[in-house]
Amino acid sequence: MKLWMLLPVLLAQTPAFRWARPVVPGAAGPHRLDVDLPLLTHAEPGAELADLRLYDSANREVGYLLIPPRAPEPTERWRGGRLVAIPATRNESGFELDLGKPATVDRFRLDSPGPFLKRVRLEGSGDRAHWVTLVGEGTLFDLPGEGLADRALDFAPGDYRYLRLTWDDHSSARVPLPRSAEARLSPPGAAPRPAPLTAAIPFERRASEPGTSRFRLKLPGRQLPIVALSLGCGGGHLLRQARVLEPRLGDDGRVAPRVLGTGTLRRTVQGDLSASDLRLAIGPPEGADLDLVVDDGDNPPLELGSVTAELAPQPWIYFEATDAQPLTARFGSPKLQPPRYDLEAMRTAAEQSAPPPARWGEIAAAAPAASAAAQAPAEPTLAGAPLNVDGFAYSRPIPPGPRGLTAVALDAAVLAHSEFGDLRIVQGDGHQIPYLLERRDEPLASTLALQRSAKGPPREAASPAPAGVSAYTVELPYARLPPARLVLTTAARVFDRRVTFAVERAPDAPPRSPPLQVIEARSWSHADADNPAPALDVALPSLDGKRLWVLVDEGDNQPLPLSPPQLLLPSYRLRFFRQTDGPLTLLYGKPELQAPRYDLALLAPQLVGAVASEVTAGPEAAVAAASQSAPMQTKLFWGALSGAVIVLLGFMVQLLRKQEA
């Protein structure tokens, strides 16, 4: 068979990649190529770079080995020595550590009684005559009262016998000679320990209840091996609890937030120096969205300035170049298995080698003709059963949008008129669109109107109007909302009030019930004229009515100025795959329906962490009258017919009686 006849078959077997990236070796021979963030975010997630392939300038595949990161030694070896104080000056003091003989070291630590927080300089020497600066300006601290300590300094590996630490005494007292100091031994010829791979994470502040700061973090990709988040925060002293959450699928088939990690944010400031621990260790996330929740206590909201993700140590790529011409790395093909090369025979030698580094070029999309199929996002072709729309009380239009994963938030109207089991999304032909119900950690916030009432709430006829009480009404958006929270704020700085929250007596309540049912009565006070007063946060049960009374006992004071209250409801949204770019309809208000069961739940692990296109449903419309008009007309027809028959029978009875007479 001729070669041109095999060409279509060969092209069909060539994997289609979404991304390509040049690899530049320094010369012919072995090279080391470090795995970086762009490769991790564009390669197939969670596949351990199974889709990575290298090609030379002739488009021939080049074998490579994925070398695991250098494992930490089970027991680190440290060497101590003799400590000698150096002559102190007006602004400096310190000491020298004599290791006894030259050694390859890469870390220094000391054991010195605290508390202290000081700038330092670390130098190294082999003969005590020629010194090399290892750390030009570092900070060491040991603050037992604040739970903060960092008494170690890292530097590039080198052969030294003497290490000299110099304290900066400009603005703090001198530190006595430490109890001990030592240096960590590094194996001769070993490659330097690589710095952790990090990534700057964009974030946005989200709506939250008083005393809590919430932030949405947007990771650069899914299933990234992130092990910690480091925060950059403004302000001074800091001591707040924080947690990181991610939406995960639960056993009930619903998506709910799951805690990936918790910790305490600590920082102490002394003059122009600060000691801090703003790192939160977390488990590896599955998706690209994380929520950071910080308990502010009675402090102002957290001034978050930056978020940096720290990734687990990554492997490096060993390959052998035949010349200095650039190679091409291709990746982003979901169906590829990890490659197997003959180069595997020299893995042991490759792991022990220290080849020169190669460098990455800019990432770009692969050729459209070769990767059109791979670039098309994989979407499930799941369709729900046809739905009889009769009997639903409410409908909401979902506006047109792009095909793919979509999320629509559920507002207060849905929360008031649905128990979630009757939620359905239908397309134009009447077929259902499968969805996943997701509960969010952040609240659904809305601002309500606060109206001053001159007449006051209803009361017993014999009861006089209370003196010194300001009465306000708050109109909730809907009756029978789920349990929520109401937040009151004021611009006043010094006050002491008793605030009562109540609702009017229900129509079906016993006659002797009080006219007002008290939900909660709270004391609200503040005595710091320099800082804003804390908000008053009250839990509300599910109410049958929409009117809520707020009664403020002013005593002999002027009425307390109140801002419009904020209602905090639980937050939910629906995740679904839009199969068409046309409009959809959200239906609910049919309580007899059971919760749906869709095959889409089988794909929940892939859908939960994916980035969804956010849409907002249109206004709520009542559809019960239209769907029930036919049954009502049928009842009227049969009622009229029955009446006519009864009248006709009455006439017949009268005629028969006259004939008999």
Side-chain angles (χ1 to χ4, degrees), residues 612-634:
S613 175
E614 300 276 354
V615 297
T616 302
E620 183 182 75
V623 297
S627 62
Q628 295 177 0
S629 59
M632 182 61 66
Q633 292 176 1
T634 302

Side-chain angles (χ1 to χ4, degrees), residues 83-374:
L83 296 178
V84 178
I86 63 175
T89 65
R90 180 178 179 182
N91 296 320
E92 290 183 342
S93 61
F95 61 91
E96 292 179 3
L97 169 63
D98 182 2
L99 299 176
K101 59 181 179 179
T104 304
V105 293
D106 61 3
R107 184 177 175 86
F108 170 86
R109 70 182 180 188
L110 57 84
D111 181 12
S112 183
F116 63 85
L117 169 59
K118 298 179 75 67
R119 286 196 179 96
V120 298
R121 182 177 68 255
L122 182 66
E123 299 167 288
S125 175
D127 56 6
R128 209 182 181 190
H130 303 85
W131 294 89
V132 177
T133 300
L134 305 179
V135 179
E137 185 174 331
T139 302
L140 295 179
F141 52 87
D142 185 0
L143 304 171
E146 291 79 6
L148 294 170
D150 187 0
R151 301 184 296 269
L153 296 170
D154 291 307
F155 51 89
D159 294 334
Y160 308 103
R161 175 179 174 177
Y162 302 97
L163 296 175
R164 182 166 64 192
L165 182 81
T166 304
W167 301 103
D168 183 350
D169 300 327
H170 277 88
S171 57
S172 57
R174 291 180 178 176
V175 177
L177 195 68
R179 289 187 287 259
S180 64
E182 53 189 357
R184 184 175 64 187
L185 302 178
S186 179
R193 290 178 172 85
L197 186 60
T198 60
I201 305 301
F203 62 91
E204 62 177 354
R205 186 179 292 272
R206 306 290 292 185
S208 185
E209 62 270 32
T212 302
S213 293
R214 297 179 183 272
F215 304 90
R216 177 70 46 78
L217 312 182
K218 295 291 185 180
L219 304 183
R222 298 177 54 201
Q223 299 183 23
L224 292 177
I226 297 175
V227 296
L229 298 176
S230 296
L231 310 184
C233 304
H237 300 293
L238 192 65
L239 182 63
R240 305 187 191 185
Q241 296 294 320
R243 66 184 189 272
V244 180
L245 307 100
E246 180 186 35
R248 294 281 182 90
L249 183 67
D251 296 335
D252 57 354
R254 297 182 177 182
V255 180
R258 180 177 298 179
V259 177
L260 297 185
T262 61
T264 303
L265 306 179
R266 301 174 185 269
R267 181 173 59 205
T268 296
V269 179
Q270 296 181 6
D272 59 346
L273 295 179
S274 65
S276 62
D277 182 5
L278 305 179
R279 183 178 182 271
L280 298 173
I282 65 172
E286 294 181 355
D289 285 347
L290 297 181
D291 290 322
L292 171 64
V293 183
V294 181
D295 183 3
D296 295 324
D298 296 327
N299 305 290
L302 181 71
E303 299 178 21
L304 185 62
S306 64
V307 179
T308 303
E310 177 186 333
L311 281 69
Q314 294 301 302
W316 57 278
I317 301 166
Y318 174 92
F319 71 95
E320 296 179 350
T322 58
D323 51 38
Q325 294 298 317
L327 307 179
T328 300
R330 298 190 178 102
F331 42 92
S333 185
K335 297 183 179 180
L336 286 183
Q337 298 297 320
R340 294 186 299 172
Y341 301 114
D342 293 336
L343 195 63
E344 188 70 31
M346 62 169 300
R347 173 173 289 276
T348 301
E351 290 179 347
Q352 297 176 354
S353 66
R359 58 184 177 87
W360 288 105
E362 294 296 327
I363 193 171
S371 62

Side-chain angles (χ1 to χ4, degrees), residues 36-54:
D36 61 359
L37 187 64
L39 177 61
L40 292 176
T41 55
H42 290 83
E44 285 302 302
E48 298 180 352
L49 301 179
D51 58 331
L52 175 64
R53 300 293 186 271
L54 300 180

